[in-house]
Amino acid sequence: MRILSKKYLRVLLYLALAISGLFWYRRLTMYAHPVDDAKDQDTKKQLAKTWLQTNNLEHWSGSKIFVVNVGRKKCYHVGKLLERCFIEYEMAPHTAKHAERKLISKDLRGSYGFNWFGVSEYVFYDTLSIESLSSTDEEVYSQLVAVHSISNKKTLNAFEWIDNVFVEAVRILPNLSIDNYIISNLDILFGEDCVDPRPGWQLNKSWSFSKGRFPSFLSYKYLDHTEKEDYTKQLQIRRDGKLKIVQLADLHFSVGKGECEDEFPASDNCEADPKTLRFIEGILDIEEPDLVVFTGDQIMGQRCVQDSTSALLKVLAPVIERKIPWALIWGNHDHEGSLDRWKLSEFTAALPYSLFSMSARDTNDNSFGVGNYILQLQGSTEEKATITLYFFDSHSYSRSGKIYPGYDWIKEAQWEYMRERYDNEYSKHIAKDAHLSMAFFHIPIPEYLSFQSKKNPNEQNPKVGTFKEGVTAPKYNSGGIFTLDYLGVDATSCGHDHCNDYCILDDSSSRKIWLCFGGGSGEGGYAGYGGTERRIRIYEFDTKERAIYTWKRLNGSLKEKFDYQPIVSGGVPNFE
């Protein structure tokens, strides 16, 4: 006999969960370091300056941080729904009231996100800014320690942090004045092929930090007094009026080396990410582009549940190491790993040579997307812009599946936003008689299916390249082709369909627009359809001739161009 109805049982369950959540929230936050808001910021800066001078540290910036504590958390989780954690160890708890705790949200054991029930483990560290030392009692900061080294070798004064991982700490003073002696930042990367191209970061792969689902390795930065180098690089048109873009579509990188899918031609012992990286590096060295555009599905989210950044840093390493400016848009798989679209975007925007940006209207709820932006370039002698590039987030899967099943689309609000920015800002700077423009997105718009001419129904629209698989454009048409026409876009390029690499000259709007596929580049994504070799598309703008040219290269024959075609001549999209 049931004592309580299902309705009351649910109420009791929700109440118990709420009380439990409140209890653990109070438990975890009761030791949080208080924030001192009493002093005015200007006063703080002046105190910091005086303190630095007194301690012969005037060459340091007060905003520099250093690690004063490390620790680990052990957690029990139920899927991704519930995770309860407790601090298992920390080197120097409550070192200073101004310390900021940073949790590296990457499960060392590789259980969270993979198992329904399990034990997860995380590391955290506390940082202190040099500026905050000025408001710390001398008796306190004279006893403070900072992390000097982390290794698998035990020394006399080392603490054991994780099994067979030892931390050595030193007094902050006088060691603070020594460059590259005190650690300022920490990260964990996964997979035997992981890399860290971020300037100043040192990835130590001589020993494994932890052996979970994938081996993990410690990456760290040392404190130094030099000002942060400017790793932005202005995108410029060459003196000869040209700009070359390499498009990298559907790389599908993983944590670890990844598995090859539909490799063609087949080989023994194929490793997806290393093979794709060799292809990318070969193309970059041959073409020497001015800009690289990643058009979505850089990483295969389901294979990055443990850590999306480990896979993404592998993708971006070739361009960062070559100091090539790069832009990026997201696909339908990037956000399926450990980081959502918003966190991926924040991480990406801060990387060296990144031109990626988040607009004021961007959202993380799929209503507007993340990464809708414009790049405008002018030549060395021109006052007006001669090239404009548009980037759109095409989202992932339709939220109106019963009415419009399949993939999502660029929203009307996004198209309208670009029109507004064009009218209010960018159109004023365009050289009307010498301007070229392209747009990039991941999922093709419906007009990629416009094989039949709209203006001449008995004719086929010109097409160059391979049409091998069904075009997976959304079922709903948000009218983007008319906005592209309004913006003066000459050509678009997308990814998503790995085995299509054609360009088609669409005549749906008042002016013709070339709609191109990049073609799949990564061995970690599907291919098939009778055998499809990975390929990379290149675009070259010539602002003096008002022309755009495009061609492709195959993984197995890097030195040979194919499907070379001028898609714009004299400022007009046409077919020759």
Side-chain angles (χ1 to χ4, degrees):
M1 178 179 176
R2 186 183 296 275
I3 299 175
L4 294 174
S5 67
K6 290 184 178 180
K7 177 180 178 181
Y8 288 108
L9 284 173
R10 283 198 298 270
V11 170
L12 288 174
L13 176 61
Y14 294 152
L15 184 61
L17 287 173
I19 294 172
S20 175
L22 180 62
F23 169 80
W24 282 103
Y25 174 80
R26 293 288 301 276
R27 180 77 178 271
L28 294 172
T29 58
M30 65 186 296
Y31 298 112
H33 301 311
V35 179
D36 183 8
D37 293 325
K39 297 180 180 178
D40 181 82
Q41 288 298 320
D42 292 337
T43 304
K44 280 186 176 182
K45 289 181 180 179
Q46 186 57 45
L47 284 172
K49 184 177 180 181
T50 303
W51 185 89
L52 290 169
Q53 291 173 344
T54 303
N55 290 276
N56 298 317
L57 296 170
E58 58 270 13
H59 59 291
W60 286 94
S61 166
S63 61
K64 296 278 188 178
I65 62 171
F66 51 92
V67 177
V68 294
N69 182 32
V70 294
R72 66 175 182 265
K73 283 186 176 183
K74 189 175 183 179
C75 308
Y76 298 93
H77 69 89
V78 179
K80 288 186 174 182
L81 300 174
L82 191 65
E83 192 175 31
R84 292 287 178 259
C85 304
F86 63 92
I87 294 175
E88 194 171 42
Y89 165 82
E90 58 181 322
M91 181 188 76
H94 315 303
T95 50
K97 65 178 181 178
H98 298 291
E100 179 184 354
R101 176 147 297 175
K102 298 183 179 182
L103 175 68
I104 301 178
S105 301
K106 305 176 182 183
D107 177 17
L108 297 177
R109 300 189 181 205
S111 177
Y112 185 81
F114 291 95
N115 302 324
W116 275 106
F117 302 94
V119 179
S120 49
E121 188 175 10
Y122 304 92
V123 299
F124 64 86
Y125 61 102
D126 296 342
T127 62
L128 200 62
S129 69
I130 293 176
E131 184 177 78
S132 66
L133 289 177
S134 62
S135 56
T136 303
D137 293 338
E138 182 176 355
E139 184 178 346
V140 174
Y141 75 66
S142 64
Q143 299 300 315
L144 285 175
V145 295
V147 174
H148 162 57
S149 69
I150 302 173
S151 73
N152 63 337
K153 296 179 181 179
K154 182 173 176 57
T155 59
L156 182 62
N157 299 317
F159 301 87
E160 188 170 20
W161 182 14
I162 305 287
D163 293 341
N164 298 315
V165 177
F166 302 95
V167 180
E168 185 175 346
V170 295
R171 296 288 181 194
I172 289 179
L173 296 176
N175 294 301
L176 192 60
S177 61
I178 306 173
D179 275 347
N180 299 315
Y181 192 75
I182 293 176
I183 291 176
S184 66
N185 222 329
L186 297 172
D187 200 358
I188 305 292
L189 298 177
F190 296 86
E192 58 189 292
D193 62 332
C194 66
V195 295
D196 196 340
R198 294 173 290 183
W201 285 83
Q202 300 181 36
L203 177 62
N204 189 342
K205 294 174 70 175
S206 63
W207 53 275
S208 176
F209 190 79
S210 178
K211 295 180 180 178
R213 188 172 295 270
F214 294 96
S216 58
F217 302 96
L218 182 70
S219 190
Y220 53 89
K221 284 184 73 174
Y222 276 113
L223 180 67
D224 68 85
H225 78 276
T226 56
E227 290 299 319
K228 182 180 179 182
E229 185 177 342
D230 184 8
Y231 291 109
T232 60
K233 189 173 182 180
Q234 186 176 2
L235 180 60
Q236 294 180 326
I237 299 170
R238 297 177 185 176
R239 290 185 177 275
D240 60 2
K242 295 181 179 180
L243 179 85
K244 186 184 288 187
I245 297 175
V246 164
Q247 177 188 356
L248 297 176
D250 298 276
L251 298 172
H252 288 263
F253 272 50
S254 309
V255 174
K257 294 182 177 180
E259 297 181 2
C260 293
E261 290 195 23
D262 305 320
E263 184 193 19
F264 185 84
S267 66
D268 296 330
N269 304 316
C270 179
E271 295 175 326
D273 294 358
K275 183 176 179 181
T276 303
L277 276 172
R278 290 192 295 271
F279 183 26
I280 293 171
E281 290 170 343
I283 292 292
L284 296 180
D285 292 340
I286 290 171
E287 296 290 359
E288 297 183 339
D290 305 292
L291 173 68
V292 172
V293 176
F294 297 88
T295 52
D297 285 357
Q298 286 72 240
I299 61 176
M300 191 64 175
Q302 301 97 321
R303 301 180 197 143
C304 302
V305 172
Q306 194 163 6
D307 180 31
S308 293
T309 58
S310 291
L312 191 57
L313 286 173
K314 286 194 298 182
V315 169
L316 299 171
V319 292
I320 293 175
E321 290 166 354
R322 288 166 176 77
K323 301 182 179 180
I324 303 171
W326 52 275
L328 176 149
I329 47 181
W330 301 117
N332 54 294
H333 288 300
D334 294 291
H335 64 285
E336 295 171 341
S338 66
L339 298 179
D340 62 23
R341 245 172 164 75
W342 194 266
K343 290 179 180 177
L344 279 171
S345 297
E346 289 179 326
F347 179 78
T348 299
L351 291 173
Y353 314 113
S354 171
L355 300 175
F356 173 88
S357 65
M358 300 156 70
S359 80
R361 296 272 297 277
D362 284 359
T363 65
N364 194 30
D365 62 359
N366 205 51
S367 62
F368 196 83
V370 191
N372 299 281
Y373 58 104
I374 304 170
L375 297 177
Q376 202 164 55
L377 296 82
Q378 59 189 58
S380 56
T381 59
E382 289 88 2
E383 294 182 359
K384 296 281 189 176
T386 51
I387 296 177
T388 303
L389 305 175
Y390 298 90
F391 301 86
F392 295 87
D393 183 357
S394 57
H395 309 277
S396 54
Y397 301 98
S398 171
R399 291 193 173 185
S400 306
K402 291 184 178 180
I403 305 173
Y404 302 108
Y407 292 99
D408 211 341
W409 51 87
I410 300 170
K411 311 300 182 185
E412 285 90 341
Q414 293 170 261
W415 297 118
E416 184 59 33
Y417 170 73
M418 288 298 187
R419 282 182 180 244
E420 290 174 3
R421 294 202 67 189
Y422 175 82
D423 289 339
N424 298 332
E425 300 174 55
Y426 290 92
S427 63
K428 303 171 186 177
H429 307 296
I430 287 175
K432 300 295 183 183
D433 57 343
H435 184 254
L436 299 168
S437 180
M438 278 193 71
F440 296 90
F441 36 82
H442 179 66
I443 298 173
I445 58 176
E447 283 74 17
Y448 272 73
L449 285 159
S450 296
F451 299 109
Q452 203 74 23
S453 170
K454 293 290 192 297
K455 295 178 179 176
N456 300 293
N458 295 325
E459 297 180 7
Q460 294 278 310
N461 281 325
K463 177 177 70 68
V464 178
T466 304
F467 170 42
K468 294 182 74 172
E469 64 171 302
V471 176
T472 53
K475 302 294 188 294
Y476 176 79
N477 194 330
S478 58
I481 195 71
F482 302 108
T483 295
L484 295 170
D485 179 16
Y486 182 82
L487 298 175
V489 169
D490 300 303
T492 71
S493 204
C494 71
H496 196 54
D497 294 358
H498 301 186
C499 300
N500 290 332
D501 72 352
Y502 64 81
C503 290
I504 191 165
L505 186 57
D506 177 68
D507 64 352
S508 301
S509 56
S510 63
R511 60 194 300 275
K512 295 181 179 181
I513 301 174
W514 278 102
L515 309 177
C516 298
F517 281 104
S521 305
E523 297 288 347
Y526 75 86
Y529 292 90
T532 304
E533 189 171 1
R534 271 57 176 190
R535 59 207 58 215
I536 289 175
R537 182 179 285 279
I538 299 96
Y539 293 95
E540 186 171 62
F541 292 70
D542 189 328
T543 58
K544 292 184 178 179
E545 294 184 5
R546 298 183 65 197
I548 302 177
Y549 305 90
T550 186
W551 61 92
K552 293 164 287 188
R553 295 183 189 269
L554 292 172
N555 195 345
S557 50
L558 288 180
K559 295 183 179 180
E560 298 176 13
K561 298 179 182 179
F562 73 101
D563 284 348
Y564 179 91
Q565 63 176 125
I567 55 176
V568 177
S569 299
V572 179
N574 58 23
F575 178 68
E576 296 181 6

